[in-house]
Amino acid sequence: MALVVAKFGGTSLGGAERIRNVARRLISRKESGDDIVAVVSAMGDVTDELVELAREVSSDPPDREMDMLLATGEQVSIALLAMAIHDMGHEAISFTGTQVGIVTDPVHRKAKITEVKVDRVREALSTGRIVIVAGFQGATPDGQITTLGRGGSDTTAVAVAAGIGADVCEIYTDVDGVFTADPRIVPSARKIDSISYEEMLEMASSGAGVLQMRSVEFARNHGVVVHCRSSFTDSPGTIVKEADETMEQAIISGVTHDTSEAKITLRDVPDRPGVAAQVFTAMADANVNVDMIIQNVSEQETTDISFTVPKDDLGSANRALDDIVAKLGAREWSVDDSVAKVSLVGAGMRTHPGIAAQMFRTMAEVGVNIDMISTSPIRISCVVAADQVADAVRALHDVFGLGSDESGGEDEPTHGGGE
Ligand code: ASP
Ligand code: MG
């Protein structure tokens, strides 16, 4: 008997029949003797549709009200799934984030979980019921509803798994696991059987949409084993856990890409101590997540600073920048949203010199110009023109030999980007 948390994403819950399928799956798991907690996302594209509706009524919706709105999506799913299970003659009970005690900080739209109480979950499990928890949402200590950032149901699942001491946190999704590249771009991309937290963290933070980055961080910090797998088949997916000898010792694990960021450039910023601090303090105060940063060599006492931010944060960034640019006496600032980031991730980079050189050479050979570069000990990322990113991903996947030997065979991966 195992204690299992199983998270189902929007695609797996897209419509009544799919909800009934998830119900069947949970019941058969329960009947095999496991205790099971399901964490669910909003159905299908509901969250996107709610975001769109908000935009139609307001050019800049307040974050608190966005959370109030977006949290409704998951509440629909938990109720319907519980009903479906009841209809099949089994006991289930649904809880919102507030009800199970997912306590967060007050940063609306990307709140961080500060405490997971889960007493209610334990209690309901002890009565033999299947427990269903709304993903993506929590509440501040004083009862304000918050959400955990897009894709946040993954983090709810891992947090609940940590809270109840689950044996495994299974993330059911519309792809077969974590791939060496997005199979929609690289048909020969291969499913990875197991990967370390460290590498998965870099993959998730650089665009592998299959797991929310924060969920991987949480899993690493609490030692939760995550199994990322398809909700449409029974085949094993990708296990994310602490690195050990059983893992394949690939130098490079994967090539990821990300089109969700924009590049901001400040021109002719005075070159004196404290300027960068002022710019990025302003971004931090506006809760803008800054990714890559480049500052040019200064000419005539001024310099240019470029950095990337999520396109979703552009509204807040814009407001903060108007102010800061005036204060600093910079000449101007601009936004380029036709950029993308391509990254190479692999723990073997630490010990194998020449990976960066080979990456840049490969990109040059396919005529892709590199705009910005950043690295971590196990990742190299380049910002390039958005319309060239697919070429870069394909060339890199090929050069580093990441594909399966026979592509296009029976093992053709399920296409899709993760949900
Ligand atoms: N429904 C939320 C979203 O679409 C949370 C999730 O799916 O994980 O981002
Ligand atoms: Mg997701």
Side-chain angles (χ1 to χ4, degrees), residues 40-303:
V40 295
S41 299
M43 292 171 65
D45 295 327
V46 163
T47 308
D48 288 334
E49 287 158 17
L50 292 172
V51 169
E52 188 46 43
L53 256 180
R55 278 204 192 110
E56 284 171 24
V57 299
S58 161
S59 59
D60 188 16
D63 287 341
R64 178 188 183 277
E65 304 309 330
M66 275 310 276
D67 280 354
M68 195 62 97
L69 177 71
L70 297 186
T72 63
E74 273 67 16
Q75 200 170 330
V76 170
S77 308
I78 55 170
L80 290 174
L81 183 56
M83 288 174 197
I85 295 174
H86 278 276
D87 190 59
M88 295 172 189
H90 289 261
E91 292 287 314
I93 181 165
S94 68
F95 293 121
T96 63
T98 313
Q99 286 179 316
V100 290
I102 307 282
V103 184
T104 75
D105 66 16
V107 183
H108 285 290
R109 304 201 65 178
K110 43 183 140 174
K112 284 209 171 76
I113 296 176
T114 53
E115 195 187 347
V116 188
K117 292 187 176 148
V118 295
D119 300 347
R120 254 181 151 145
V121 173
R122 281 213 191 84
E123 216 176 283
L125 282 174
S126 71
T127 63
R129 284 183 280 192
I130 295 173
V131 179
I132 302 166
V133 175
F136 180 53
Q137 52 177 266
T140 61
D142 65 344
Q144 301 294 328
I145 292 179
T146 51
T147 63
L148 310 178
R150 296 305 304 269
S153 299
D154 295 346
T155 301
T156 307
V158 172
V160 170
I164 62 172
D167 297 298
V168 63
C169 177
E170 300 186 334
I171 306 278
Y172 287 90
T173 179
D174 56 356
V175 292
D176 292 340
V178 182
F179 280 81
T180 50
D182 185 337
R184 289 171 298 189
I185 291 187
V186 187
S188 67
R190 202 170 39 82
K191 191 196 81 200
I192 301 170
D193 293 333
S194 63
I195 188 166
S196 66
Y197 291 126
E198 187 191 30
E199 286 167 297
M200 191 62 229
L201 207 49
E202 295 284 6
M203 300 262 293
S205 68
S206 61
V210 65
L211 283 175
Q212 196 207 28
M213 177 175 82
R214 213 181 272 167
S215 71
V216 185
E217 238 171 0
F218 208 105
R220 181 195 58 190
N221 294 346
H222 296 84
V224 176
V225 174
V226 176
H227 184 184
C228 182
R229 60 192 303 187
S230 166
S231 56
F232 305 118
T233 71
D234 280 324
S235 359
T238 303
I239 305 275
V240 188
K241 58 179 185 183
E242 204 58 70
D244 67 29
E245 330 70 58
T246 66
M247 286 182 185
E248 23 180 333
Q249 302 292 326
I251 299 171
I252 301 300
S253 295
V255 184
T256 53
H257 70 286
D258 184 358
T259 53
S260 69
E261 292 186 349
K263 184 178 78 170
I264 294 177
T265 302
L266 310 190
R267 291 208 177 71
D268 292 347
V269 185
D271 190 16
R272 56 164 198 266
V275 165
Q278 258 176 289
V279 171
F280 295 106
T281 301
M283 291 296 106
D285 289 345
N287 273 309
V288 174
N289 273 325
V290 174
D291 183 18
M292 287 194 201
I293 301 174
I294 283 191
Q295 176 172 330
N296 279 347
V297 177
S298 69
E299 284 166 45
Q300 285 139 11
E301 273 124 47
T302 67
T303 185

